Amino acid sequence: MSKRENVNVTNEEIENQKRIIRLVAEINAGSEKFAFVETYGCAQNVNDSERLLGMLEEMGYKKTDDKNKADVIIYNTCAVRENAELKVFGNIGALKALKRAKPSLIIGVCGCMMQQEHIVEQIKKRYKHVDIVFGTHSLYRFPEIFYNAENFHERVIEFVNEDGKIAENLPMHRDNSPLAGVSVMYGCNNFCTYCIVPYVRGRERSRMKEDIMKEVKNLAENGVKEIMLLGQNVNSYGKDIDGYIDFPDLLNEVSKADGIERIRFMTSHPKDLSDKLIDVMAQNKKVCKQLHLPIQCGSDKILKAMNRKYTSEQYLEKIRKVKEKIPNVTLTTDIIVGFPGEDNDDFEHTMEVLKTVRYDSVFSFIYSKRHGTPAEKMEDVLTKEEKKKNFDRMLELQNIISAEKNKEYDGKEFDILVEGESKTNPDFMTGRTDGGKIVNFKGEKSLVGKIVRVKITNAHTWSLSGELV
Ligand code: 5AD
Ligand code: SF4
């Protein structure tokens, strides 16, 4: 157990933060204050923002979507690609006028970008209107950081370079949704050569099963029907705890929670996808028949340079097994186009994989150089224009495949978990099939959180339309 004591933030420390939360709440008592939190990037970041908002709510701040109304503005940032970083810098710059008009406004930036020293330096020097800066490892210390900035009118910049800890029992804000994300582990040990995540999220650390189950049961009691188990590589779950249960067993455990009808998970690294996991997916009715398995590239030369630790053939063998055991499985993947050293021939291998697997959808990205990663120093073969051309060709191919795959749904009936109103038409509800396909259909708001039978009447590239049976 001693190993865990080093990983979990101590109870004393959590209690200390909670004491500060109560202190701020007392100061705020009687006044109406608002917090604006914007999240960039992945589901893990969304989960972190729920924690931030949870702490802010207990401190007496109401959530708002209007920056002008806010007393606190926080950007929870993503460092995976440069685009996201540039957007954050632009948005922070744009807050200058707001701060001038309302000097009491507290502006904070946190998350993965702030876990990089060169970015923190940039914020310190060029964005003087930012009051608080803290990285992913300091999230649980937000109450103290916030209190110091607010109360002593000082800039608080916290940069801790460590492997990262687990903070349990922090307050959490949940939207009124039948879906919820639950982190099962944090960090990553894989060091794919293009990726910043291991540097900003630290080493792999699994939450104790009991803590996960407590959270899941609590969510179920509050009306949640579908759980998304989150981790950078969920297949590594439990490997850092001696004699612990593995991810497939955890899935079975979570499925025993009353009220939880569906379980999904993200992300699996192909090298660690076990037969046992495939079997549990096939056998456990509550585990959705949906698998996100990022291949990144179809060329073995590039996969090696990416340090992915599998060949395209090994990957395809796993896909064959998955399809054989779970015939109606929905498959998705991530692809990086234009990794250093990738030539047009390598790229054709990726196109071949798309044609072979026929994914339901693909999340594709043009390679973005990340500071401090091994790939930063690798040389490009293709020009920016050539990469873009390949990227567009790939999208074109995948759009055809996605549309064809959706067409197979036409005329068939599916169980849909209703998530809420459709964004485009309030008379329509939106939900998903077990495989995760979005379905829009005419229906009442009272259906939210229920599983209903819908017949598909129209298949589009990205979604399906249907009617209640
Ligand atoms: N450039 C482009 N895409 C990246 N990803 C991770 N790092 C980079 C990068 N430097 C993509 C991978 C990963 C997804 C979450 O983001 O495809 O699976
Ligand atoms: Fe990044 Fe690779 Fe870890 Fe995924 S497995 S977070 S791509 S280093």
Side-chain angles (χ1 to χ4, degrees):
M1 282 312 270
S2 60
K3 220 159 130 198
R4 300 308 296 173
E5 277 157 25
N6 299 331
V7 173
N8 274 58
V9 176
T10 61
N11 283 340
E12 289 78 18
E13 178 62 15
I14 296 290
E15 280 314 311
N16 184 35
Q17 297 303 322
K18 287 190 170 168
R19 187 182 56 79
I20 300 171
I21 288 178
R22 288 192 294 273
L23 191 65
V24 178
E26 267 168 40
I27 298 169
N28 283 337
S31 54
E32 193 170 45
K33 290 197 165 179
F34 294 93
F36 173 96
V37 176
E38 186 151 279
T39 314
Y40 299 80
C42 67
Q44 294 266 0
N45 257 17
V46 172
N47 203 255
D48 283 351
S49 288
E50 287 172 340
R51 244 173 276 267
L52 262 177
L53 264 173
M55 293 187 263
L56 279 161
E57 277 172 351
E58 293 209 353
M59 288 194 263
Y61 293 84
K62 286 202 185 100
K63 181 188 168 189
T64 176
D65 295 326
D66 179 4
K67 272 183 224 155
N68 295 305
K69 205 168 142 187
D71 299 283
V72 193
I73 294 179
I74 299 192
Y75 289 137
N76 187 9
T77 64
C78 169
V80 167
R81 281 170 294 272
E82 195 185 11
N83 285 356
E85 292 196 338
L86 294 177
K87 208 154 112 197
V88 167
F89 279 124
N91 286 346
I92 304 173
L95 290 180
K96 226 175 230 170
L98 210 58
K99 177 84 176 179
R100 215 174 291 133
K102 188 180 187 179
S104 66
L105 172 68
I106 298 275
I107 297 175
V109 259
C110 65
C112 292
M113 269 175 87
M114 302 307 134
Q115 206 55 60
Q116 302 175 91
E117 210 162 2
H118 72 286
I119 300 272
V120 173
E121 284 307 313
Q122 216 165 320
I123 302 271
K124 251 195 223 170
K125 281 199 203 103
R126 295 207 212 132
Y127 298 87
K128 299 242 154 68
H129 58 295
V130 170
D131 303 286
I132 47 185
V133 175
F134 57 102
T136 53
H137 297 329
S138 309
L139 183 79
Y140 72 93
R141 292 184 23 81
F142 172 69
E144 186 174 342
I145 294 169
F146 179 77
Y147 176 78
N148 287 341
E150 160 108 280
N151 208 47
F152 304 118
H153 307 287
E154 62 182 30
R155 262 188 128 184
V156 184
I157 293 175
E158 187 161 303
F159 179 79
V160 266
N161 201 354
E162 56 174 35
D163 287 347
K165 292 197 160 134
I166 297 177
E168 296 292 353
N169 300 320
L170 286 174
M172 191 121 183
H173 165 89
R174 299 283 191 181
D175 279 327
N176 233 340
S177 163
L179 320 183
V182 172
S183 293
V184 300
M185 58 180 303
Y186 303 96
C188 181
N189 290 354
N190 287 319
F191 291 95
C192 301
T193 54
Y194 50 82
C195 188
I196 196 74
V197 169
Y199 306 88
V200 295
R201 287 253 169 206
R203 296 291 64 74
E204 283 174 358
R205 49 211 189 273
S206 306
R207 288 178 72 193
M208 300 302 277
K209 180 185 78 188
E210 294 73 17
D211 293 322
I212 296 169
M213 290 312 295
K214 195 166 121 191
E215 187 174 340
V216 168
K217 282 178 187 153
N218 190 275
L219 287 165
E221 277 160 22
N222 285 292
V224 167
K225 297 284 175 345
E226 179 178 312
I227 297 278
M228 170 77 89
L229 299 179
L230 302 170
Q232 250 74 41
N233 178 19
V234 291
N235 299 317
S236 290
Y237 177 79
K239 286 183 185 164
D240 55 324
I241 312 174
D242 290 336
Y244 218 58
I245 69 166
D246 58 13
F247 186 65
D249 285 340
L250 180 71
L251 273 175
N252 280 335
E253 215 32 57
V254 172
S255 76
K256 288 180 197 150
D258 285 337
I260 298 301
E261 316 231 13
R262 288 178 171 185
I263 307 160
R264 303 181 198 277
F265 56 88
M266 232 176 40
T267 297
S268 289
H269 193 303
K271 77 174 162 59
D272 299 319
L273 180 81
S274 64
D275 289 355
K276 184 172 170 187
L277 178 60
I278 301 174
D279 287 339
V280 167
M281 279 184 78
Q283 287 154 15
N284 190 320
K285 285 204 170 62
K286 287 191 182 177
V287 178
C288 291
K289 311 304 174 233
Q290 172 193 19
L291 183 65
H292 181 64
L293 201 63
I295 184 165
Q296 311 296 0
C297 178
S299 149
D300 290 345
K301 179 186 99 192
I302 299 301
L303 285 171
K304 194 163 188 342
M306 287 176 160
N307 190 31
R308 289 292 288 178
K309 302 193 176 88
Y310 53 82
T311 63
S312 58
E313 189 41 44
Q314 286 165 336
Y315 177 93
L316 290 172
E317 180 53 32
K318 297 215 176 182
I319 292 283
R320 273 193 288 276
K321 260 191 208 162
V322 170
K323 284 185 174 173
E324 185 194 316
K325 295 209 164 152
I326 317 165
N328 293 325
V329 68
T330 302
L331 291 168
T332 56
T333 199
D334 290 343
I335 303 272
I336 297 178
V337 175
F339 183 79
E342 182 179 85
D343 57 28
N344 284 326
D345 191 42
D346 294 314
F347 175 71
E348 290 311 319
H349 283 92
T350 302
M351 294 288 271
E352 281 310 309
V353 168
L354 296 197
K355 287 180 207 161
T356 306
V357 178
R358 291 178 62 79
Y359 295 102
D360 289 272
S361 60
V362 169
F363 300 89
S364 47
F365 315 98
I366 290 183
Y367 168 72
S368 168
K369 202 185 273 255
R370 302 288 68 209
H371 183 73
T373 59
E376 189 189 9
K377 296 198 175 68
M378 297 180 191
E379 304 260 340
D380 274 337
V381 173
L382 299 180
T383 63
K384 215 171 150 186
E385 291 70 33
E386 286 168 320
K387 290 180 181 184
K388 179 76 173 61
K389 215 169 119 200
N390 285 343
F391 184 79
D392 290 343
R393 264 185 67 213
M394 190 183 71
L395 281 190
E396 214 175 296
L397 168 68
Q398 185 53 42
N399 283 352
I400 295 170
I401 297 173
S402 292
E404 284 173 359
K405 295 223 72 168
N406 276 356
K407 199 90 201 124
E408 293 167 15
Y409 284 64
D410 217 352
K412 296 187 182 137
E413 287 180 15
F414 293 91
D415 286 333
I416 308 296
L417 173 59
V418 188
E419 294 174 15
E421 282 173 15
S422 142
K423 281 193 190 105
T424 46
N425 186 340
D427 289 339
F428 279 67
M429 292 290 122
T430 190
R432 274 167 215 267
T433 63
D434 180 283
K437 297 255 185 197
I438 296 171
V439 180
N440 294 304
F441 60 95
K442 201 160 184 198
E444 300 287 322
K445 222 181 152 185
S446 58
L447 295 177
V448 173
K450 301 210 166 76
I451 291 183
V452 297
R453 195 88 180 144
V454 173
K455 183 175 178 175
I456 307 303
T457 51
N458 221 332
H460 321 282
T461 308
W462 309 115
S463 67
L464 305 165
S465 306
E467 50 196 38
L468 278 170
V469 177

